[in-house]
Each structure stands twice: as structure tokens, then as C-alpha cells.
């Protein structure tokens, strides 16, 4: 009897070990391959999602076959789409849509509708069912928000003329995903029931979304206040997951999609002051699960189709050319010059991640056959692979083929020259990040004129609104330095830590004004010799300056001679640091600032009808929101540290200091009371 029991237990243990091996093996393969490929892609400065697609294609059933395409894997990957749609909902801003309505609902709608119509006509001509043609048209009409937004931010082109057109079109494309997701299940129904199913789906969507938005608007802010008062980060994250997945579950139970519910949850939270904290908390879940989703999409790709069949290449060329030409023509029709139209068309010619979402849903309900899916999927993946290279060359192409680009560049130089025309014996500040702003405040106190150059549109907009002397321009270009008055300048200061760019600026300065001192900031002492050899008058290394501070304080405390001098240095620096609190946040600070408790400056223009008009600063009581008013600009006169009895007037620019969540609440108080 004991022998039988022992044998049974041994069998159970072996079975358990085999199940664990079966479960862990694909996960380990997936993790190892994903980590390796993402490291390579980040090193090449390419979007990691392309790496995930390649991993899926390599280890999927059509290639090495290390991981099987199971329902469990697909269900887990669908949560990646849920969090992606949630993030899109968080970015949804009704005021932003209203501001860009002509681009979003005019240019964006025209692009999506025309692309969908052309693809539908071609699909039907090739014998593909019209239902599948609509899905293919919708998928191919979309471009990659993830890739384009990241590349534009890295190139500081989000607020450029072509950047605004691209973002406006992408906004409509993201919104268009919502009705397309509702449409796909209805299209999969039998033809005789199509109209009824479509009407029923739309009715359900209207009812469910109306209930969620109506009740959610009333409950969301109060509920988040209650959760936030518990001061538990763990509880806050759990609450975000509950809201996201709970809303997605409600829409799925109503016969709609998980992704639609997640989008609604994001929209509801975007109206509260907790959106920034929520975005940070949700990012790890979103990125990991979204990576898994793209791996499962890659697993659908049969690389033999790409190698043995010429269709993907033909589709790729036709797709990129068609979309680029169509968007180029539409952008011209909407009143933009040829340079902006060309760069917009080149950027949006490729496909995007939401196209894979639509194709995945359509394939799951049997709308698209594998022989149609494979070449389209291959062409979409290839178009996303070449997208970064096209954008990288778009400026060169636009300059070569568009005279308007030369005009824009001349206008940029003209604006810099106008700003610096009256300046003489001034300081040229290259980069207006934290260090550049700190330097400008000291120069301002000493009544030393300066002009600052920066290529971050968001930072420049905030700073100019607050009355700062900053202008858009790449300091690494020779003509920009000339326009900034380098030939009349007293000194040049490179405030950002980028050795390659600094060496370029030093070379231009040495050619144009070998006598002008150039002061360079760097992180440590690694590149001091190189920068000195390139012509830097002085190199300020952050690590060395910190060491100097530590050493001087130590020597002072142990009674070293010249203690009075050292004490004055300490007092001067303490005063200087109090002036340096806060900075205007820009696009380039998004990834660098992991510490959300770091105070930042934010400029708010008091518009007509704002609740704060006529009220004194002490009546607004910003202290309870942990926000400080550092300056008020009125009729181009800037008052630093205004008095508590200062009353707000229409048109004032109020400069606030605080963390992001508190700044959002303070801005809301200024505008809505």
C-alpha cells in the first residue's frame, strides 16, 4: 500500500515539474529574446516595439517555433492594448481638440476617410470582400503615434509647423480607432444581419458610453480624492488598475471591446488633477504588456512570405508612396506650404500600432483570411522599420525639393537677429534648461544683457510667455550663432551636457570669434581635456563642483585660514540656490526627471472670464495647494516675488512653482475657482 502511495506522489511531483517546465520555458525564451533585441534597438536609437515585432516573428510558429500561438498568450497580450488605449484616453484633451479642430477634424478626417476609401476600392478590385476591405483600409490609414511622437519630441519638432500637422492627424487617427473597434464585430456578422447588428452595436456604444461618462464625471474626482488622502502609493496603483480594468470589463460585458472601456477610463481620469501621477504609475504595466502584444503580432508574421513572395515589397512601396502623396496633397489644400506638406507626408507614410490592433481583432473574428493578412502584415512591419530613417532624412529632402523650407529657415534666423539686434557685449546662452535659466537669473540681477538659444518649443513657449529673453534656434549651427550676435558677444555659455554639440559650437566660435570666452558645462571630468583642446575657456564639471563645495565646507568647519572668505562663498551659494528653485519643463526633461517631487515652473495666462480676475494672491491661498507664485507679468512688465495683495487682472501671466499635480490644481483654481 505504501509503495502505491509513494508511486502516486512521485507521479504527481513529476507531472507538476513537467507543467512548470512547460509554463516557464516559453516565458523565459520570450523574456531573453525581448531583452536582447530591445537592448540592440535602443542602442541603434530605434523604437523598441519594432524589436518586439521581430522577436515574435523569429520565435513564433512560422519560424523557430519556440512559442505556440495559444489563446492564453493572446488574452494576456490583449491587456497591452487595454493599457495603450488607456494612455491615449489620458492624453485626450477637449481644449486641445478645440484648438486644433481644423487640423484634427479637417485634415485628419480627410486623410483617414480618403485612405480607407482608396484601399477599399483596391481590395474589392482584387476580389477581397468589402468587409475585409474596410478593416484593411482602416488599418493602413493609421500611422504610429508611439514612433512619431517620440521622434518628434527627440528632434524638438512637436510644436513646429509640420509637427502640429502630424500631431493633429495622429489625434484623429487615434480617435478613429474607437468606432472601428465597434464596427469590426458587426462586420463579421452574416450579411443579412449586418445592418441590424451594426445599429445594435452603435446603440449599445452610445448608451454604455453615455452612462459611463455621465456617472464617471460625477464620481471620478471625489473617488480619487478619497483614495489619495490615504497617502498609500500601493493603494493608488491598485485603484488605477481597478478603474482601468473595471471600465474595460463593463464595456466587454456590453458586447463592446476591452480597449474601448480602457479609453473611456483614461478620458475620465484626464479631467482630474491626478492624470500625471496615474500616467507614471500605469507606464510599467503598459510597456510590458504592450511589448507582449507586439510579440504576439510578430508571431502572426510568416517570414517566408516576405522572402519568397514579392507582394510585401510591392505593397510597401505602394503604401508609403500613396499615403505620403495623399497627405502631401491634403496638407497643401489646407493652406500649408510645400515644405510643411512634404515633411508631414513623409512622416505619416508608414503604418502604426493601432493597425495591428484592428487586424488582430479582425483576424480573430474571421474577417480576414491568412493569405490576405500575411503580405499586408509584412508590409506594415517593414514600413514601421523604415519610418525612423525616412523622418531622419525628411529635413534634407524637404530642403532639396521645397523652396519654402529655405524661407522658413531664413525667417528663423531673422527672428533671432531681431531679438539680438539691440544687444551688445551680451552673453549668448546655448540651452535654456535648468542651468541656462539659473544663469540667466544671475545675469538679469547684474543687469548683463543675454540672449538664450533653445530648440525645445514647449520650454520656449512657457519662458517667452513669462517674459524671458529666449528664442528658438539650434546653437550648433553657424548661422544661428551669427544671428544671435556672436560677433558682438562678451561670452558664450554652453549650459547642456553634450560633448559632441559643444565641440561643434566651439569650432564655430573659434572660427568667427577666437577671442570670445566659451564656458562649457559637463557632467564629469571625462571630456575636460577634449573640450579644452577644442577651445573652451573653462569647463565646469558638475561632479567637480560638488566636490569643491564639499571640500570648502569641510575646510571651513575645521578652522582652515581664510574662513571668512569661505563663509562668504557658502552664503553666496546658499542665496544663489534659493534663486534657482524650479525650472520651466520641456520635452527633453520627460525621461530625465524620474523624481516627480522636483518643483517646476509653469506659466499660466489669465484668460477672459477666469475666476481669479480681481482677486488678490492671498485670497487665492495657493499655499494650501503647496504652490508658490514666483512672478507676475503684466503688460510686458515682470514683477518677481509679487506682494500678497497683488490683484490678478485679465491678461496677466502668473508664474507658478510646484510639483506637477499641485500645478494642475492651481491652474484650475486660477481659471475655474
Amino acid at each position: 500500500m505504501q509503495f502505491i502511495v509513494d508511486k502516486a506522489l512521485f507521479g504527481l511531483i513529476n507531472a507538476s515539474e513537467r507543467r512548470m517546465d512547460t509554463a516557464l520555458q516559453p516565458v523565459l525564451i520570450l523574456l531573453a529574446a525581448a531583452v536582447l533585441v530591445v537592448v540592440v534597438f535602443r542602442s541603434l536609437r530605434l523604437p523598441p516595439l519594432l524589436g518586439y515585432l521581430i522577436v515574435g516573428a523569429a520565435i513564433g510558429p512560422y519560424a523557430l517555433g519556440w512559442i505556440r500561438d495559444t489563446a492564453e498568450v493572446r488574452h494576456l497580450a490583449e491587456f497591452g492594448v487595454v493599457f495603450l488605449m488607456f494612455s491615449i484616453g489620458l492624453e485626450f484633451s477637449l481644449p486641445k481638440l478645440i484648438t486644433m479642430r481644423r487640423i484634427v477634424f479637417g485634415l485628419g478626417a480627410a486623410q483617414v476617410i480618403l485612405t480607407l476609401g482608396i484601399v477599399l476600392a483596391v481590395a474589392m478590385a482584387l476580389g477581397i470582400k468589402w468587409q475585409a476591405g474596410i478593416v484593411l483600409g482602416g488599418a493602413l490609414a493609421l500611422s504610429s503615434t508611439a514612433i512619431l511622437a517620440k521622434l518628434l519630441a527627440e528632434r524638438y519638432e512637436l510644436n513646429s509647423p509640420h509637427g502640429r500637422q502630424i500631431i493633429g492627424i495622429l489625434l484623429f487617427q487615434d480617435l478613429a480607432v474607437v468606432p472601428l473597434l465597434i464596427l469590426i464585430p458587426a462586420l463579421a456578422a452574416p450579411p443579412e444581419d449586418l445592418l441590424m447588428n451594426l445599429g445594435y452595436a452603435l446603440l449599445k456604444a452610445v448608451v454604455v458610453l453615455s452612462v459611463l461618462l455621465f456617472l464617471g464625471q460625477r464620481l471620478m474626482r471625489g473617488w480619487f480624492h478619497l483614495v489619495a488622502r490615504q497617502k498609500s502609493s500601493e493603494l493608488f496603483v491598485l485603484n488605477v488598475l481597478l478603474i482601468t480594468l473595471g471600465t474595460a470589463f463593463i464595456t466587454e460585458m456590453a458586447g463592446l471591446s476591452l480597449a474601448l472601456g480602457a479609453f473611456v477610463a483614461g478620458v475620465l481620469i484626464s479631467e482630474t488633477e491626478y492624470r500625471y501621477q496615474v500616467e507614471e504609475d500605469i507606464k510599467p504595466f503598459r510597456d510590458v504588456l504592450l511589448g507582449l502584444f507586439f510579440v504576439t503580432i510578430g508571431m502572426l508574421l510568416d517570414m517566408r512570405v516576405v522572402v519568397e513572395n514579392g507582394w510585401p515589397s510591392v505593397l510597401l512601396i505602394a503604401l508609403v508612396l500613396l499615403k505620403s502623396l495623399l497627405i502631401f496633397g491634403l496638407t497643401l489644400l489646407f493652406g500649408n506650404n510645400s515644405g510643411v506638406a512634404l515633411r508631414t507626408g513623409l512622416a505619416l507614410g508608414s503604418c502604426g500600432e493601432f493597425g495591428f490592433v484592428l487586424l488582430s481583432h479582425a483576424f480573430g473574428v474571421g474577417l480576414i483570411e491568412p493569405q490576405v493578412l500575411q503580405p499586408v502584415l509584412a508590409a506594415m512591419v517593414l514600413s514601421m522599420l523604415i519610418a525612423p530613417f525616412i523622418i531622419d532624412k525628411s529635413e534634407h529632402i524637404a530642403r532639396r525639393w521645397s523652396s519654402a523650407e529655405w524661407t522658413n529657415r531664413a525667417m528663423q534666423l531673422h527672428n533671432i537677429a531681431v531679438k539680438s539686434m539691440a544687444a551688445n557685449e551680451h552673453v549668448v546662452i546655448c540651452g535654456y534648461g535648468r542651468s541656462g535659466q539659473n544663469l540667466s537669473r544671475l545675469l538679469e540681477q547684474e543687469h548683463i544683457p543675454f540672449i538664450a538659444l533653445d530648440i525645445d518649443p514647449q520650454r520656449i513657449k512657457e519662458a517667452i510667455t513669462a517674459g524671458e529673453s529666449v528664442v528658438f534656434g539650434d546653437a550648433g549651427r553657424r548661422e544661428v550663432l551669427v544671428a544671435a550676435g556672436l560677433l558682438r558677444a562678451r561670452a558664450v555659455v554652453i549650459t547642456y551636457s553634450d560633448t559632441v554639440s559643444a565641440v561643434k559650437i566651439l569650432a564655430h566660435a573659434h572660427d568667427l570669434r577666437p577671442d570670445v570666452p566659451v564656458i562649457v558645462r559637463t557632467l564629469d571630468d571625462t571630456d575636460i581635456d577634449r573640450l579644452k583642446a577644442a577651445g573652451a575657456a573653462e569647463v565646469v564639471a558638475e561632479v567637480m563642483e560638488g566636490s569643491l563645495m564639499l571640500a570648502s565646507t569641510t575646510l571651513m568647519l575645521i578652522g582652515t585660514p581664510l574662513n571668512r572668505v569661505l563663509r562668504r562663498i557658502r552664503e553666496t551659494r546658499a542665496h544663489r540656490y534659493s534663486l534657482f528653485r524650479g525650472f520651466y519643463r520641456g520635452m527633453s526633461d520627460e525621461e530625465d526627471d524620474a523624481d516627480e517631487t522636483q518643483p517646476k515652473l509653469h506659466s499660466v495666462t489669465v484668460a477672459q472670464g477666469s475666476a481669479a480676475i480681481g482677486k488678490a494672491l492671498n485670497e487665492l491661498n495657493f499655499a494650501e495647494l503647496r504652490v508658490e507664485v514666483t512672478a507676475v507679468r503684466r503688460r510686458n512688465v515682470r514683477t518677481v516675488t509679487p506682494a500678497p495683495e497683488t490683484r490678478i487682472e485679465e491678461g496677466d501671466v502668473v508664474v507658478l512653482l510646484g510639483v506637477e499635480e499641485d500645478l494642475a490644481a492651481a491652474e484650475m483654481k486660477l481659471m475655474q475657482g
Side-chain angles (χ1 to χ4, degrees), residues 252-269:
E252 188 186 37
M253 292 296 292
L256 303 171
S257 68
L258 288 168
L260 180 61
F263 174 79
V264 173
V267 170
L268 292 174
I269 296 175

Side-chain angles (χ1 to χ4, degrees), residues 307-502:
V307 176
E308 299 172 3
N309 197 327
W311 272 110
S313 301
V314 174
L315 278 174
L316 171 66
I317 296 169
L319 170 66
V320 174
L321 282 177
L322 173 68
K323 278 185 72 176
S324 296
L325 287 172
L326 177 64
I327 295 168
F328 171 75
L330 288 172
T331 311
L332 280 178
L333 286 176
F334 274 76
N336 295 281
N337 63 53
S338 59
V340 171
L342 186 55
R343 296 180 74 168
T344 304
L346 288 171
L348 292 166
S350 60
C351 295
E353 57 274 4
F354 280 122
F356 296 122
V357 174
L358 296 178
L359 289 181
S360 177
H361 278 264
F363 184 69
V365 296
L367 262 182
I368 298 180
E369 298 174 353
Q371 60 268 30
V372 175
L373 178 68
Q374 285 300 329
V376 173
L377 202 60
M380 289 173 65
V381 172
L382 291 173
S383 75
M384 292 178 72
L385 282 171
I386 66 171
F389 302 102
I390 292 176
I391 293 174
D392 188 52
K393 298 296 182 184
S394 62
E395 184 177 0
H396 175 75
I397 296 170
R399 281 207 311 268
R400 181 178 178 86
W401 295 101
S402 172
S403 59
E405 276 295 302
W406 290 103
T407 306
N408 289 337
R409 181 156 295 197
M411 282 296 296
Q412 184 188 114
L413 295 176
H414 172 73
N415 292 335
I416 299 171
V418 167
K419 193 83 172 178
S420 67
M421 192 175 294
N424 194 33
E425 291 291 306
H426 60 292
V427 176
V428 178
I429 300 176
C430 305
Y432 205 61
R434 281 184 255 187
S435 299
Q437 292 170 43
N438 295 340
L439 173 60
S440 71
R441 290 168 194 167
L442 283 180
L443 294 174
E444 195 175 50
Q445 286 192 340
E446 294 296 325
H447 306 291
I448 298 172
F450 67 89
I451 180 170
L453 300 169
D454 202 283
I455 53 175
D456 189 325
Q458 181 176 326
R459 179 184 293 137
I460 292 170
K461 181 181 177 182
E462 292 266 9
I464 288 177
T465 305
E468 309 281 350
S469 181
V470 59
V471 66
F472 184 89
D474 181 1
R477 286 167 45 200
R478 184 187 184 95
E479 61 270 25
V480 170
L481 289 173
V482 173
L486 176 64
L487 300 177
R488 308 184 305 275
R490 189 189 301 186
V492 177
V493 185
I494 304 171
T495 65
Y496 54 89
S497 181
D498 185 339
T499 302
V500 175
S501 178

